[in-house]
Amino acid sequence: MSRHKLVKALDLDEELDDFAGGAESDYDEEVSAEDQQQLRRGTARVRDVLGTQVIVSDKEIEDSLWHYYYDIDKTVNYLINAKIESQSGKSNGRQTAKADKDKAGRLDQRTNTMSQRSASETLCSRFCALSAAELFQDSPWLNVPEDRRGEILIEPLYPQGRLLGGSSKPEEAPKSKLAALAAARKKKENQKLADSQSTSSVALLDRLGSRSDASKLDANRNRQTQTAIDSPASKAPDRRYSMQTSRKEAFDSERAAKEPIVPPGPAPKTKHIAEAAPVAAPSTFAQIMFAPLTRFSERDIPIPSRYAVQDPKPHTKFDFAGPSPDDIVIKAQSSKGTAPRSTKVPKKLLGDEKAVNGITSGIASTAIEDTKVKRKNINVLSEYESSKPKNAANFVVIGHVDAGKSTLMGRLLHDLNIVDYRTIDKYKKEAEKLGKSSFALAWVLDQGAEERERGVTIDIAMNKFETADTRFTILDAPGHRDFIPNMIAGASQADFAVLVVDASTGNFESGLKGQTKEHALLVRSIGVQRIVIAVNKLDTVNWSQERFDEISQQVSAFLTTAGFQAKNLAFVPCAGLTGDNIVRKTDNPRASWYTGPPLITLLESSEPIARALEKPLRLTIDDIFRGGVQNPISISGRVDAGSLQIGDVVLIVPAQQTATIKNLDVDSEPAEWAVAGQNVVLHLMDIDPKYLKSGDVICPSSSPVKCVTSFTVKVLAFEHITPMHVEVHRGRLHAPGRLTKLVAQLDKASGAAVKGKTPRLVKPGSVARVVVEVEDPVPLEHGGRVILRAGGETVGAGLVE
């Protein structure tokens, strides 16, 4: 039989009876001796409470106690309610006529009330409120007899203002010691006030005019001594607590200690008022709250002579016929000329006003220098040609992560004596503490704490060195794929590139599939045409010529496919850690097969790049920082086109704000002008820093760069391209956007559109014309180079049409 049939055949009533105990269960068997004893005690206590008026059997009491777990109060309430309910059904025919009449009267009253309510319910059921008497008519606490009602006393919110420690009773109530002393003190003050009012005013003036400070002091001392002798308090036994001195007495004693001692003279007789009881000085709170106002006016406060007003007419009205000092200063500041201006000063001046007006006249005569920087109108192009500067070149160091780029450049700077031995020894000791002794040369360029700790270049590291003919700027780009935007920013400032390849077994193959390939494609898309390939770490393969030739063939084939010309490619075997073939040729006999020049010679052999000197100014902001106290707003970058000089007013786009060039530095040296191709630092003024950000373009107001939100790009696809979300990169500019439309696919050779349907997908290696839209306006011009990335991968690069 299945489980379902067993469940259907189950007798539910029988199972529930068994579960609940059933009708045949015997509760008497479950009652223990201890429970029986508690039942007997509880029954006796319940009968004592009920008395003889309620007739209840022991069985009912025990059942109730068992049900309420021996709770006497609940048991009594239950029995009374049960008895009342049982008797209510039997008392209908046994009630007396008086009870029937009262009940009928109450019923009639309730009926009338309900009828009145029902009659007026339609009119005021929603507007008439029920009275409190009707709502609580059955509440027992409203029917308390008068003799049992208590008086509710509400104490006042704030106590009556009295001295602390006193009594709140009327005057005939006993007072505390503090209250008694305060009352005596107040009585004494009132009596002194009455005596002072009764004195003749003429005699008072004479006494005030003739009495000196010394006589006042002697009189106070004599009066205190006489009071202490005559007062009964002096004859009383010593108190447990010392009496407080009043503030006036303390002030007099302090004044007496500070003033010079004067020989005592005949003290005037003072009228003594005997006190019946000792008087204690009131507290500061009592003096402030209860003392009369005249008491404060009677205090003798000495005023030093240096603060006394000597001039009977200290204040003189200002002559408003002349200008005020503020008007003079404002007028001087608003003046554009540098010549001093005379200002009329009022002739009628008294006291210190002469000095004040003298200062204002000096301010008016002082020339206010013009804070605006004057443009010198230098012919920058003629100055540049006449100066005959060295060839300047920027090169970016690219390659796969851990290919030895930073170490190679650190060795180059060290061998050229740009970095001394002491600095290298310092870096070696610091690197050994971190267990990275081989990173000492890399720390020449990796200055950040995070870069040194992780052993990975994060941002572009810049350094400079010079040879006999050329001034170089190194742009060490990060090799990790997470920092490709920083690599793009560095490559956009480079004239040529140095591709570092790891020659060790396995690392070259992995790098060629990784960032070596992507970096090479990016620099070609940005516009770099010449590249030097440094085959690094060749000492790890014993300077194998076969390994060098293998790497050269594979890299050359790839770069040629990417668009580089074979004549612009140069290969050099080197070892960055030992310095072979970097500045000097290697002495290792295993490398005798290489007869070419070292790396530094290949760098110097680069041809000068043509500069767009006559085009309008274009400078992309690379970094924004504080150049010092005198130069709070400074920006750095490379001049892409045109020229500039101190005093030029330039326009920052897309903020559309103007700024003035206060000072500028070229290659970390102060200069008055700069031209295209130079790395500059501009110290700006007349602009808020909030309008500046990396990637903005500085241009002249006469030829501004247009800001667009939609543009067409002729793009070379590195990955499959469809209408999708992309990130637009141009130097430091990084803007989110969307590739909205694939216009046409183009022929690589001619650049003409291929006839056919509109493409839905652009395959890798194909060229197409696409439309890109960005959220915020970005400064882009015709011919500008942009990189398109999506999902951490470079999907394409091209030119803005």
Side-chain angles (χ1 to χ4, degrees):
M1 183 180 291
S2 64
R3 295 183 181 179
H4 300 285
K5 293 182 179 181
L6 287 174
V7 173
K8 293 176 68 177
L10 187 65
D11 190 354
L12 185 60
D13 295 336
E14 183 178 356
E15 294 294 334
L16 292 177
D17 290 342
D18 294 341
F19 177 76
E24 298 178 357
S25 61
D26 190 2
Y27 290 99
D28 294 338
E29 296 179 359
E30 299 179 2
V31 179
S32 62
E34 184 179 357
D35 293 337
Q36 292 178 2
Q37 185 177 1
Q38 290 186 3
L39 286 174
R40 288 194 297 271
R41 293 177 182 176
T43 302
R45 293 179 61 184
V46 170
R47 286 200 176 278
D48 293 340
V49 175
L50 293 177
T52 58
Q53 296 180 359
V54 181
I55 301 173
V56 184
S57 63
D58 293 341
K59 179 63 175 176
E60 294 177 347
I61 296 176
E62 291 179 357
D63 292 342
S64 300
L65 288 172
W66 180 266
H67 179 74
Y68 288 109
Y69 295 97
Y70 311 112
D71 192 333
I72 304 300
D73 296 336
K74 293 183 179 180
T75 302
V76 171
N77 293 333
Y78 170 73
L79 293 174
I80 292 175
N81 293 333
K83 190 59 66 176
I84 292 174
E85 291 177 0
S86 63
Q87 292 179 359
S88 61
K90 301 177 182 180
S91 61
N92 292 333
R94 301 176 183 178
Q95 291 180 349
T96 59
K98 184 177 181 179
D100 293 340
K101 185 176 181 180
D102 294 341
K103 184 176 180 180
R106 288 194 300 269
L107 183 60
D108 294 340
Q109 185 178 0
R110 291 182 182 178
T111 303
N112 294 334
T113 304
M114 293 301 294
S115 63
Q116 292 176 2
R117 291 180 183 175
S118 61
S120 60
E121 184 177 3
T122 57
L123 296 177
C124 61
S125 59
R126 297 184 180 180
F127 304 96
C128 299
L130 190 63
S131 63
E134 293 177 352
L135 182 62
F136 298 102
Q137 62 182 353
D138 56 345
S139 300
W141 56 82
L142 296 178
N143 299 323
V144 180
E146 293 290 340
D147 56 343
R148 298 184 60 183
R149 295 182 182 177
E151 182 179 0
I152 299 175
L153 299 178
I154 301 176
E155 297 183 0
L157 183 60
Y158 300 101
Q160 186 178 0
R162 299 179 183 275
L163 291 178
L164 297 178
S167 175
S168 59
K169 302 293 183 180
E171 294 298 334
E172 61 271 9
K175 298 181 179 180
S176 63
K177 293 182 180 181
L178 184 60
L181 292 175
R185 183 67 179 178
K186 188 174 182 180
K187 181 178 179 181
K188 181 179 178 181
E189 295 293 339
N190 294 336
Q191 191 170 1
K192 287 183 179 181
L193 180 62
D195 293 343
S196 63
Q197 291 178 355
S198 61
T199 307
S200 173
S201 60
V202 178
L204 181 60
L205 292 175
D206 295 338
R207 185 172 58 185
L208 291 175
S210 61
R211 186 172 60 180
S212 62
D213 293 341
S215 62
K216 285 183 181 180
L217 179 61
D218 295 339
N220 291 335
R221 292 176 180 175
N222 295 334
R223 182 169 63 254
Q224 293 177 1
T225 305
Q226 187 67 21
T227 304
I229 295 174
D230 297 340
S231 175
S234 61
K235 302 177 182 180
D238 295 340
R239 298 173 61 89
R240 183 176 180 181
Y241 300 102
S242 60
M243 301 292 251
Q244 296 181 354
T245 58
S246 64
R247 296 176 65 185
K248 182 177 180 181
E249 292 173 356
F251 182 78
D252 292 340
S253 62
E254 182 179 359
R255 177 184 173 187
K258 293 182 179 179
E259 292 182 355
I261 300 176
V262 182
K269 296 182 180 181
T270 58
K271 184 177 180 180
H272 172 65
I273 301 175
E275 296 292 341
V279 178
S283 63
T284 305
F285 176 77
Q287 291 179 5
I288 295 174
M289 296 298 296
F290 301 102
L293 297 177
T294 56
R295 182 182 176 199
F296 296 98
S297 62
E298 292 177 0
R299 295 181 180 178
D300 298 330
I301 302 177
I303 301 176
S305 59
R306 63 176 180 269
Y307 296 121
V309 180
Q310 303 296 336
D311 194 353
K313 296 180 180 181
H315 301 288
T316 306
K317 295 183 178 180
F318 180 77
D319 188 3
F320 290 94
S324 66
D326 293 340
D327 296 337
I328 296 173
V329 174
I330 293 173
K331 186 176 181 180
Q333 291 177 349
S334 61
S335 62
K336 297 183 179 179
T338 58
R341 299 188 179 187
S342 60
T343 305
K344 294 183 179 181
V345 182
K347 296 182 179 181
K348 296 180 180 180
L349 300 173
L350 297 175
D352 295 338
E353 291 187 357
K354 293 183 179 181
V356 174
N357 285 275
I359 295 173
T360 57
S361 62
I363 294 173
S365 61
T366 302
I368 305 298
E369 297 181 358
D370 194 359
T371 58
K372 294 184 178 180
V373 180
K374 292 185 178 181
R375 191 173 185 270
K376 296 184 179 180
N377 297 323
I378 300 174
N379 191 344
V380 178
L381 297 181
S382 353
E383 290 287 337
Y384 176 72
E385 293 175 356
S386 61
S387 62
K388 296 181 180 180
K390 288 184 179 181
N391 294 332
N394 297 354
F395 65 91
V396 59
V397 184
I398 59 176
H400 192 62
V401 63
D402 294 334
K405 300 183 295 299
S406 299
T407 302
L408 184 66
M409 292 299 105
R411 171 60 67 178
L412 175 65
L413 295 174
H414 176 56
D415 292 347
L416 290 173
N417 297 325
I418 305 300
V419 181
D420 54 7
Y421 286 94
R422 181 178 299 177
T423 304
I424 297 298
D425 292 339
K426 176 185 175 182
Y427 290 159
K428 285 182 179 179
K429 293 179 181 179
E430 293 178 357
E432 287 176 358
K433 293 180 181 179
L434 298 177
K436 301 177 180 179
S437 58
S438 61
F439 285 70
L441 292 172
W443 284 10
V444 175
L445 293 173
D446 296 341
Q447 297 290 332
E450 185 179 1
E451 291 179 331
R452 293 184 175 184
E453 183 178 357
R454 297 176 58 179
V456 176
T457 304
I458 296 177
D459 202 353
I460 291 292
M462 297 183 62
N463 213 317
K464 304 178 186 299
F465 68 93
E466 292 186 14
T467 60
D469 300 326
T470 311
R471 179 181 298 172
F472 291 99
T473 300
I474 303 174
L475 302 170
D476 187 17
H480 200 279
R481 60 179 300 177
D482 293 342
F483 310 117
I484 290 295
N486 295 337
M487 179 266 166
I488 295 174
S492 62
Q493 305 177 32
D495 298 320
F496 64 95
V498 175
L499 176 61
V500 180
V501 178
D502 189 353
S504 57
T505 305
N507 292 336
F508 166 70
E509 288 76 13
S510 62
L512 189 60
K513 297 178 182 178
Q515 304 313 118
T516 301
K517 175 182 177 181
E518 186 174 7
H519 282 197
L521 292 174
L522 286 174
V523 294
R524 183 65 188 93
S525 302
I526 291 173
V528 175
Q529 297 181 0
R530 184 172 183 271
I531 189 168
V532 177
I533 300 93
V535 184
N536 194 21
K537 301 182 183 181
L538 203 60
D539 55 338
T540 60
V541 293
N542 295 324
W543 294 93
S544 174
Q545 184 178 3
E546 292 78 8
R547 182 64 172 171
F548 176 76
D549 293 340
E550 178 187 359
I551 294 173
S552 300
Q553 291 176 4
Q554 294 187 29
V555 174
S556 178
F558 165 70
L559 294 178
T560 305
T561 306
F564 290 95
Q565 297 181 5
K567 65 178 183 179
N568 293 330
L569 303 180
F571 292 85
V572 55
C574 59
L577 198 59
T578 59
D580 294 330
N581 280 344
I582 296 178
V583 175
R584 57 176 176 81
K585 293 193 65 174
T586 180
D587 298 333
N588 195 327
R590 295 180 180 178
S592 59
W593 51 266
Y594 178 72
T595 58
L599 177 63
I600 188 65
T601 306
L602 294 177
L603 297 179
E604 290 180 332
S605 63
S606 60
E607 297 179 0
I609 306 300
R611 309 296 184 186
L613 300 178
E614 298 181 357
K615 291 185 177 181
L617 173 64
R618 297 292 184 266
L619 187 150
T620 303
I621 298 177
D622 182 63
D623 191 14
I624 304 167
F625 58 95
R626 180 181 176 87
V629 178
Q630 297 181 353
N631 303 311
I633 305 175
S634 301
I635 62 101
S636 63
R638 186 185 186 217
V639 182
D640 299 327
S643 61
L644 52 86
Q645 59 180 302
I646 296 176
D648 284 350
V649 178
V650 294
L651 179 67
I652 289 88
V653 291
Q656 303 298 331
Q657 298 290 325
T658 58
T660 304
I661 301 176
K662 183 180 180 181
N663 291 307
L664 64 89
D665 299 335
V666 177
D667 295 331
S668 304
E669 295 181 1
E672 294 183 351
W673 48 266
V675 296
Q678 294 180 337
N679 301 310
V680 299
V681 174
L682 302 183
H683 306 292
L684 303 178
M685 58 183 297
D686 301 333
I687 189 171
D688 198 309
K690 67 181 181 180
Y691 297 115
L692 298 173
K693 63 180 180 180
S694 298
D696 290 355
V697 177
I698 295 179
C699 57
S701 302
S702 58
S703 179
V705 179
K706 294 183 179 180
C707 296
V708 296
T709 57
S710 178
F711 53 92
T712 304
V713 182
K714 185 171 66 174
V715 62
L716 172 63
F718 300 154
E719 301 291 341
H720 290 87
I721 295 179
T722 59
M724 58 185 179
H725 291 280
V726 295
E727 297 175 357
V728 180
H729 293 266
R730 186 192 59 81
R732 283 288 181 181
L733 176 64
H734 176 205
R738 179 177 174 81
L739 199 152
T740 58
K741 185 179 180 181
L742 303 178
V743 180
Q745 189 167 354
L746 306 179
D747 186 11
K748 287 185 178 181
S750 62
V754 178
K755 296 181 179 180
K757 297 181 179 179
T758 302
R760 298 182 180 180
L761 176 69
V762 180
K763 297 180 180 181
S766 303
V767 179
R769 182 177 288 111
V770 299
V771 176
V772 179
E773 295 181 358
V774 293
E775 298 178 359
D776 300 324
V778 294
L780 288 177
E781 289 183 305
H782 174 70
R785 297 179 179 270
V786 294
I787 307 295
L788 302 181
R789 289 175 57 84
E793 300 287 343
T794 303
V795 297
L799 298 174
V800 178
E801 293 185 342

